[in-house]
Amino acid sequence: MKHIMNDISMAIETLKSGGVVGMPTETVYGLAASIESPIGIENIFKTKERPFFDPLIVHISSTNQAKKYVKSWPSTCEVLAQNFWPGPLTIVLPKKDNVSDMITSGLDSVGLRMPNHPIALDLINKLGHPIAAPSANKFKKTSPTKKEHVTAEFNDVMVLEGGDCQVGIESTVIGVFEDKISIYRPGMITKADIENVFTKNGITIKIEIVESPVAPGQLKHHYMPKLPIILLQNARSLDEVNHEHIDSKALEKPSYLKLENDPSLCARNLYHNFRKFDDNASSIVIPLSDNQLNNDQWLGIMNRLEKAASYTLSK
Ligand code: TXA
Ligand code: MG
């Protein structure tokens, strides 16, 4: 992995002067700005063409740093941080005034995450402040998992090379309350993973999966690639399902994408696979098995597929 000091220094200068930088993380590449720079934060929204109602995740490099931005740090969070940070878990808690309203879209809570990537952690440490970063793609489009994906979309943004993202889909986003944990966006850290660490630590707390109106990763359409995606539930080919109502252009040259059987591998390659079909294809057809549709480990992947898909057909 290339990790050039000069690049980090240049990235820090850019962040300090209100610019944005492509930052590798273990989930997807982020579009980073310093939380201390209002111009930088505004630049994130402008560059992504993202509406101001969609709040940003604040990336920190230590649990102590996280605590500076929230009103309280319950013991549940300590357990979560010890077990899952650095890693693909975003914890939403009531915020202090030192997190600007532009970052949280006026919400009184902030999402915090410690990324598991040496370059992201180095960048936060050297900047001396947390970094706000959404995924580095235009609003509603597919997230980037390679440096080239970011430069293809934003050719004038400096991107730090951090290799291919190892997790491949965005972090699990949870709200932490006194009496429950709400999963707003499922990811590769699953409900069962969270339950297990609480059980090990003698904590009993309800965990619910909710579609949060304030987590627009939850908008109906998101993560969409250029070609329309057609999901097949319990069918292996278009011949097995009724596809009369599908736009005929999409059916001119459908290409099939077979997902890997292992969920970790599938997540890692998913967004690259979305992009690999060239313009000769007219659509991406993805057959899904019963196991993938009804399994905790696949929930994050299914959530992304459903939102990225233009059509879902079943037998
Ligand atoms: O893995 C990730 O989370 C990546 C990398 C770059 O860290 N980031 C990412 O950011 O996916 P973004 O902005 O594309 O998605 C963040 C999600 C959004 O759905 C947003 O609504 C939700 O987190 N979120 C952020 N702050 C929130 C808050 N205070 N309450 C509820 N949801 C929040
Ligand atoms: Mg995003």
Side-chain angles (χ1 to χ4, degrees):
M1 189 188 300
K2 224 171 49 178
H3 183 180
I4 304 168
M5 269 310 292
N6 280 345
D7 285 355
I8 291 274
S9 314
M10 204 191 290
I12 302 282
E13 285 314 305
T14 306
L15 295 175
K16 282 188 175 163
S17 59
V20 295
V21 165
M23 172 179 79
T25 84
E26 80 283 29
T27 56
V28 300
Y29 275 75
L31 193 65
S34 166
I35 70 157
E36 294 294 316
S37 170
I39 299 171
I41 301 297
E42 197 179 339
N43 267 331
I44 289 181
F45 287 93
K46 280 192 188 150
T47 309
K48 270 187 70 97
E49 295 166 23
R50 174 169 170 135
F52 283 99
F53 63 73
D54 194 357
L56 305 176
I57 292 173
V58 170
H59 297 72
I60 40 79
S61 59
S62 73
T63 303
N64 275 341
Q65 192 177 37
K67 290 178 189 171
K68 290 184 195 161
Y69 298 92
V70 291
K71 287 205 168 128
S72 68
W73 184 255
S75 55
T76 42
C77 289
E78 193 56 36
V79 169
L80 290 168
Q82 274 174 14
N83 284 277
F84 297 118
W85 277 0
L89 181 73
T90 297
I91 301 178
V92 176
L93 283 170
K95 76 171 185 81
K96 278 193 190 151
D97 288 344
N98 54 2
V99 185
S100 77
D101 282 345
M102 211 189 332
I103 294 175
T104 66
S105 305
L107 296 174
D108 55 11
S109 60
V110 59
L112 295 165
R113 176 167 116 75
M114 193 194 299
N116 189 12
H117 195 294
I119 295 179
L121 294 172
D122 198 23
L123 197 63
I124 300 164
N125 282 333
K126 294 208 168 104
L127 180 67
H129 303 295
I131 284 177
S135 51
N137 50 276
K138 291 265 168 77
F139 185 59
K140 288 193 177 184
K141 299 293 183 197
T142 305
S143 300
T145 50
K146 291 174 186 281
K147 180 188 175 187
E148 302 83 82
H149 298 161
V150 187
T151 43
E153 196 143 349
F154 304 118
N155 58 18
D156 50 356
V157 170
M158 173 192 179
V159 187
L160 291 168
E161 173 63 84
D164 295 355
C165 299
Q166 293 298 298
V167 175
I169 64 169
E170 306 79 359
S171 62
T172 305
V173 180
I174 60 169
V176 176
F177 304 92
E178 237 171 72
D179 57 339
K180 65 174 181 192
I181 305 281
S182 298
I183 301 182
Y184 297 140
R185 180 174 71 183
M188 296 313 283
I189 291 180
T190 66
K191 182 173 180 236
D193 293 335
I194 297 171
E195 265 161 6
N196 284 343
V197 301
F198 282 148
T199 306
K200 272 193 205 141
N201 284 275
I203 296 172
T204 315
I205 188 162
K206 190 172 123 193
I207 305 178
E208 57 176 20
I209 298 175
V210 289
E211 289 262 317
S212 164
V214 291
Q218 310 303 349
L219 289 176
K220 178 152 175 14
H221 285 303
H222 215 90
Y223 316 112
M224 286 180 118
K226 263 197 282 179
L227 293 173
I229 290 181
I230 304 174
L231 296 183
L232 299 182
Q233 293 184 337
N234 296 313
R236 285 213 294 242
S237 96
L238 280 166
D239 300 336
E240 295 174 41
V241 294
N242 178 355
H243 53 259
E244 276 167 8
H245 64 289
I246 292 186
D247 179 5
S248 56
K249 260 180 82 185
L251 296 173
E252 276 168 15
K253 198 159 182 278
S255 285
Y256 283 76
L257 170 60
K258 190 186 175 313
L259 299 180
E260 288 88 344
N261 292 324
D262 173 61
S264 302
L265 208 57
C266 175
R268 188 176 304 159
N269 297 330
L270 190 68
Y271 293 150
H272 182 63
N273 281 337
F274 279 10
R275 289 177 168 90
K276 79 178 179 192
F277 296 94
D278 60 20
D279 292 340
N280 283 327
S282 61
S283 56
I284 308 172
V285 183
I286 308 180
L288 303 173
S289 69
D290 203 33
N291 176 45
Q292 289 162 337
L293 288 163
N294 298 299
N295 185 319
D296 188 53
Q297 279 190 300
W298 283 88
L299 195 65
I301 296 168
M302 288 304 135
N303 169 276
R304 307 306 187 275
L305 285 173
E306 277 161 21
K307 288 177 198 300
S310 298
Y311 306 96
T312 302
L313 308 177
S314 46
K315 251 207 268 203

